[in-house]
Amino acid sequence: MRNNGIHVHQLANQLLVLTQEVHAAPVATCWVWYRVGSRNEINGHTGISHWVEHMLFNGTPDFPKGTLDRIVARNGGVFNGFTSHDFTAYFETLPADRIELGLQIESDRMINALFLEQDVESERTVILAELEGKANYPETWLDEAVKSAAFTLHPYRQPVIGYKNDLLAMNRDDLYHHYQTYYMPNNAVLVLVGDFDTSALMERVEHYFGGLPTGPTIPRVYAVEPEPQGERRVTINRPGPVPYLQIGYLVPDCRSTDFVPLFVLDAVLSGAKSLAMFGGGAQTNRSARIYKALVETQLASSASSSFWPTIDQFLFELEATVHPDRDIAEVEAALTNEIETIQRDGISAEELARVTKQMRAQVAYGAESVTNQALLLGLWEMIDTYQRSGQVLDQLATVQAADVQRVAQTYLTRQRRTVGHFLPTNTGSISTVA
Amino acid sequence: MSWLSLSTSASNQATQPLLNTTRHVLPNGLVALIYRNPTTPTVSVRGRVALGAAYEHAAKSGLAAFTAATLIRGTQHRTFQQLVAETEERGCSVNAGGGMHSSSFGGKALAEDLPLILDVLADMVKHPTFPSTEVEKLRGQFLTGLRESEEETRFQASRALRKLLYPAEHPYSRLSSGSIETVQALTRDDLVAFHQWYRPDLTTIAIVGDVQADQVIATLEQTFGDWQGNTSPPDLLWPAVLHIEQPQQRHITLAGKVQTDIIWAVHGLKRQDPAYYPAMVGNIILGRLGMGGRLSDAIRQEQGLAYYASSSLDADVQAGPWAAGAGVNPAHVQRVIELLLHEIETFRQQGPTAEELDDTKAFLTGSMALRLEANDGIAAMLLGIEEFDLGLDYVVRYPAIIHDVTAEQVTDVARTYLSTERYVLATAGPDTAKAL
């Protein structure tokens, strides 16, 4: 099946393969996406998806620990992996004539990762160090507090990296069971974008992945976050440089017909943003509403909105770094006022047109990189369908200014929000010793 | 299938077309580097004025960065608000910022909007007005950013390190972002005066995308052609670096932290030093290759003591630090320092293995295809080529340059510069006594 330059293949073992030839530069990228993330985690096992992701860099019989990064480097490539709420992804971006290496690595570690006891133990402390590195930043404490207040039962309340006590308690069998449950062709999507010939490459895909067994049925996630019954407020008091504000409104998932109007609302508030993570986007926030109202007025040194597509209902967020001379309450009032102004007066036709133009440019910048193109295909396939990665401009064209006002009125209410304050407990608590 | 041979075909395919770059010098001395990449409808512009924090007085640290950031805050033809509205409504972005040796300006646009962003960038560079209200707004943002940095462990450790490596009058003893005290004291007159040193003959602009060189040159002549420099910056006198006789250590205690950043460093070498390529290869082997070279192997992979462990070689106009570090639990600080020193000493003694050297050469040459994939990467490469006078055939010569690096050269440079007896070491994190 072919759709907009994207070929869709399904192997007999149910592995979905998306390929897109791009001959702009002699590079290609190989991604494997698994439909598992912190959304799939239960109490006591928080962080297990992220830890399993780390274990896939710890060796197989064919690629023992410490060889994978060297072989990718030797072939002029880069590789990495990351875990999110809704998915786990791995990629290799390589000179085009080396793309088969990606197929070999990913097919091998889909099934053959060793999870040796001593590697599990050493990775436990690596992840604790990753967690402690994040905890050095005050924003991490605030974000965790906002998420855990905004979600009462949905796993989106848990940090992707997990809670420290769970990371101390889980063992090799827990991790290996998670791996065997979710890391199967029927729960994976292979995405290949770049300078290759599809039919020749598909022959190699079949060679590497065709023989892998289909896994068990994937456990469903039943959690549905209940309707909030009133505003929630959290405060973090810790050492820190300045106050930070974070507000999250519970909003629909990416399949909702209200998703695209919310996406436009985010762009009206702080510029159209690319979902592409590997560079290339343009900064478009300084002419948008929040920058004018918060940064230009010197209430905050930075402020923005953010909205990310997810499988289940998530948060539409507002964030601000409070100017040291200002009160966080003033900043909160000003941010809230920006939302209430749109609820009352709507947005202008010019703003809608500007968002569309900005998005058209962001799509073009993102398309300069095969890594970004594959990221968008895989990301959308994880949460809905890959087809949406090419539909963003068409979908924007269907949005009316009144839709944006309506979704602001419906979802960005005090009833549906969690307000977080980070209030520093110290000033000038730095000392140096020789 | 074997994965041991060198990938050269993609690398050649990526580098050969760069020979078609147009290098054009305007009558006022501005150098334009234009490369046509018709595969995307976009264009990247990167400009560089060879003037940065190295030219500031210590009491005015942060001046170059503040001056560059103010260029966008108002010009003779546009207020800041008009400028960002005009560009952002078309999905373009423009920016400017200052570093140690350069002040940069640039932007991205759909190719059709190139004339607009060149007009805006020329306006920013030639005719900034430094409006007082905008200067104060920006100062507030800088000061907040500095307050945040002041409480970051890695920032504190790297700042302490520079003070140990360089005397106070050396620009490398400071960070180009300045300090809270110096940024508070900068005046609008300081910014105006520093901008006077911006000159077209110190400026390079790289333009990469779906553009035609002759049209771009015509637009550059219209926008930047009438720019004339006023005064020349003073000649720089580089003070000697501090000689390190024995290990010197500093710890900075930061409240509320749970992890300690450790940085070890020595003086490195200049970018134009003949030993640069062996040093660059050696640094990759020590702390960059794959997940982070030997340091990551020892500290992360084998011992599980850190999420990151790596090294960096800051070879610039002058010799910046050659550094290595990791972020670790306070209880493991001493152990990780011992591991860092052990790996550095082993590398000094034994040099690289044949396999490490081959892997690194293959990585550096093979990955050129990735570095040159997108317009931004190509523009950055072109600017670097001009800055260090490498010649437009540099990317084509690059594989041979790398191929010629020998194990002996790498060992020599490691023994010359790296040391486990004369080094500086900074740690920043929670109170170690309490954490232990």
Side-chain angles (χ1 to χ4, degrees), chain A residues 39 150-157 220-228 232 250-251 253 311-314 416:
Chain A
R39 175 178 176 270
F151 296 97
T152 56
L153 62 81
H154 192 282
Y156 286 160
R157 73 193 308 274
R220 272 190 60 182
V221 175
Y222 291 99
V224 178
E225 185 60 30
E227 281 293 297
R232 298 168 197 169
L250 192 69
V251 290
D253 64 80
I311 294 177
D312 299 320
Q313 44 182 351
F314 195 61
R416 298 180 69 87

Side-chain angles (χ1 to χ4, degrees), chain A residues 65 69-70 74 97 101 104 125 129 136 238 244 280 283-284 286-287 296 358 365 368 370 431 433, chain B residues 3 9 42 81 88 91 94-95 108 148 251 253 256-259 291 297 301 304 329 359 363 373 375:
Chain A
K65 182 173 180 172
D69 60 329
R70 297 302 161 94
R74 187 151 74 221
D97 55 353
L101 176 61
Q104 189 183 9
T125 50
N136 267 8
R238 277 186 61 80
Y244 297 94
Q283 186 183 356
T284 57
R286 293 167 298 188
S287 58
E296 285 283 62
Q358 288 175 347
Y365 303 140
E368 285 184 42
V370 292
S431 60
V433 290
Chain B
W3 298 107
S9 67
T42 58
Q81 293 74 20
E88 291 183 2
V94 291
N95 259 317
K108 298 179 73 73
E148 293 182 286
H251 178 74
T253 299
K257 303 302 175 189
V258 292
Q259 184 166 89
M291 307 260 282
D297 280 356
Q301 299 279 88
N329 185 283
D359 284 357
F363 170 67
E373 182 194 9
N375 292 337

Side-chain angles (χ1 to χ4, degrees), chain B residues 25-318:
Chain B
V25 185
L26 296 189
N28 60 11
L30 184 145
V31 175
L33 299 163
I34 303 154
Y35 177 74
R36 178 166 184 264
N37 175 11
T39 61
T40 62
T42 58
V43 62
S44 289
V45 178
R46 285 198 178 206
R48 172 180 185 276
V49 186
L51 190 68
Y55 289 85
E56 313 164 337
H57 188 275
K60 297 196 184 296
S61 180
L63 175 58
F66 201 167
T67 304
T70 315
L71 299 181
I72 199 171
R73 309 297 298 201
T75 70
Q76 284 176 12
H77 303 106
R78 297 168 174 94
T79 64
F80 168 67
Q81 293 74 20
Q82 288 169 336
L83 194 156
V84 291
E86 193 179 354
T87 48
E88 291 183 2
E89 74 173 2
R90 297 162 88 154
C92 312
S93 69
V94 291
N95 259 317
M100 182 57 70
H101 292 285
S102 309
S103 297
S104 343
F105 58 92
K108 298 179 73 73
L110 293 174
E112 69 215 31
D113 292 323
L114 177 64
L116 168 70
I117 63 167
L118 286 180
D119 187 58
V120 168
L121 290 170
D123 201 18
M124 287 164 51
V125 172
K126 292 188 301 184
H127 307 303
T129 50
F130 302 100
S132 297
T133 51
E134 294 296 328
V135 168
E136 292 316 310
K137 281 186 212 167
L138 201 56
R139 192 195 308 274
Q141 291 175 33
F142 266 59
L143 290 173
T144 306
L146 283 164
R147 281 173 82 140
E148 293 182 286
S149 299
E150 290 272 349
E151 295 204 19
E152 287 174 13
T153 48
R154 220 182 299 192
F155 176 90
Q156 283 286 353
S158 53
R159 191 165 69 180
L161 202 81
R162 286 180 171 271
K163 286 185 180 160
L164 291 170
L165 285 172
Y166 301 95
E169 63 273 21
H170 196 297
Y172 287 10
S173 68
R174 306 178 286 274
L175 296 170
S176 55
S177 52
S179 69
I180 289 176
E181 296 72 31
T182 59
V183 169
Q184 259 165 350
L186 293 173
T187 66
R188 180 181 176 277
D189 288 347
D190 292 329
L191 308 181
V192 172
F194 193 84
H195 175 257
Q196 293 290 313
W197 290 341
Y198 279 46
R199 297 177 58 91
D201 54 4
L202 293 176
T203 302
T204 305
I205 302 183
I207 297 168
V208 177
D210 189 11
V211 297
Q212 299 288 349
D214 51 351
Q215 289 172 13
V216 174
I217 291 168
T219 310
L220 283 171
E221 276 166 357
Q222 285 161 19
T223 48
F224 285 88
D226 64 348
W227 182 23
Q228 295 301 326
N230 300 317
T231 44
S232 291
D235 288 336
L236 287 180
L237 295 172
W238 290 96
V241 300
L242 294 171
H243 193 63
I244 309 166
E245 298 289 352
Q246 58 192 15
Q248 294 185 46
Q249 193 163 343
R250 291 282 183 283
H251 178 74
I252 297 101
T253 299
L254 289 164
K257 303 302 175 189
V258 292
Q259 184 166 89
T260 301
D261 268 291
I262 304 169
I263 313 181
W264 161 100
V266 291
H267 299 107
L269 69 181
K270 297 177 186 179
R271 174 63 178 81
Q272 298 293 35
D273 192 297
Y276 168 72
Y277 291 102
M280 189 262 283
V281 167
N283 180 58
I284 289 173
I285 293 168
L286 179 65
R288 299 216 76 82
L289 186 65
M291 307 260 282
R294 288 188 181 192
L295 297 177
S296 182
D297 280 356
I299 296 167
R300 174 176 166 154
Q301 299 279 88
E302 285 167 25
Q303 306 273 335
L305 289 169
Y307 177 61
Y308 86 89
S310 62
S311 65
S312 65
L313 173 66
D314 184 3
D316 211 319
V317 174
Q318 294 292 312

Side-chain angles (χ1 to χ4, degrees), chain A residues 255-296:
Chain A
R255 292 182 181 85
S256 161
T257 52
D258 288 338
F259 173 81
V260 181
L262 282 163
F263 188 81
V264 173
L265 177 61
D266 173 42
V268 166
L269 288 168
S270 61
K273 301 163 195 87
S274 171
L275 295 177
M277 292 157 62
F278 294 88
Q283 186 183 356
T284 57
N285 67 312
R286 293 167 298 188
S287 58
R289 290 183 180 229
I290 286 180
Y291 190 96
K292 287 180 185 168
L294 276 290
V295 183
E296 285 283 62

Side-chain angles (χ1 to χ4, degrees), chain A residues 20 22 25-31 78 92-100 192-196 201 370-371, chain B residues 370 373:
Chain A
Q20 184 175 18
V22 175
V27 294
T29 190
C30 169
W31 287 68
V78 294
E92 293 78 34
T93 299
L94 291 149
D97 55 353
R98 295 307 156 107
I99 190 58
E100 191 173 337
L192 299 158
V193 177
D195 186 19
F196 52 72
L201 189 62
V370 292
T371 312
Chain B
L370 273 56
E373 182 194 9

